[in-house]
Amino acid sequence: MVAPMQRRGFLRGLVSLPLIGGGVTLIGSPIAVAEACNLSLLDRYTDWLAVEYGDALIERCALAPSKSHSNSLAIMKFRREWVQDNRTLNPRQDRFESAPAALPSTRAALVLSAIGCNWQEGSSWL
């Protein structure tokens, strides 16, 4: 059996090798995580989904066509207040006070691709 320190040294050596083409590319897409599902994990996941959904609803208002910029801002303000008051999305009333650092649109395609959802325009949602 190979000792853990020897494996780490081997992996460290692999990482330090010069690469042809300049980078490492993962082949395939991950389909599972080596983590047993428990109530705590599911709670974190549903909390993340609620926040992601609320922020996506707010951002969608900014992307929707509008007659004026001030109208878009008023709609976004209304949507942020609605999401803050929504007990399903914000049960502790401590979310959605300000915009997130990274908007949901910055990760939408990545998340949908990672779960195997065909997101390209004109395709069905699954």
Side-chain angles (χ1 to χ4, degrees), residues 64-79:
S66 178
K67 295 178 182 168
S68 71
H69 181 66
S70 61
N71 189 34
S72 289
L73 292 176
I75 292 170
M76 283 181 61
K77 182 177 184 287
F78 167 77
R79 185 59 65 113

Side-chain angles (χ1 to χ4, degrees), residues 34-124:
E35 181 69 35
C37 187
N38 57 40
L39 189 56
S40 177
L41 175 63
L42 206 49
D43 286 345
R44 292 276 311 228
Y45 180 62
T46 55
D47 283 348
W48 180 84
L49 286 174
V51 170
E52 187 75 354
Y53 181 64
D55 283 329
L57 286 175
I58 294 165
E59 184 183 6
R60 191 176 184 290
C61 290
L63 297 175
S66 178
K67 295 178 182 168
S68 71
H69 181 66
S70 61
N71 189 34
S72 289
L73 292 176
I75 292 170
M76 283 181 61
K77 182 177 184 287
F78 167 77
R79 185 59 65 113
R80 184 164 297 282
E81 289 169 357
W82 179 85
V83 169
Q84 282 176 335
D85 292 338
N86 187 298
R87 300 298 271 167
T88 301
L89 299 177
N90 194 9
R92 295 180 303 271
Q93 301 291 298
D94 61 348
R95 299 178 183 151
F96 307 109
E97 293 176 7
S98 60
L103 296 172
S105 60
T106 62
R107 60 188 160 270
L110 175 68
V111 170
L112 291 174
S113 294
I115 63 169
C117 188
N118 189 2
W119 56 268
Q120 284 83 4
E121 194 165 330
S123 61
S124 65

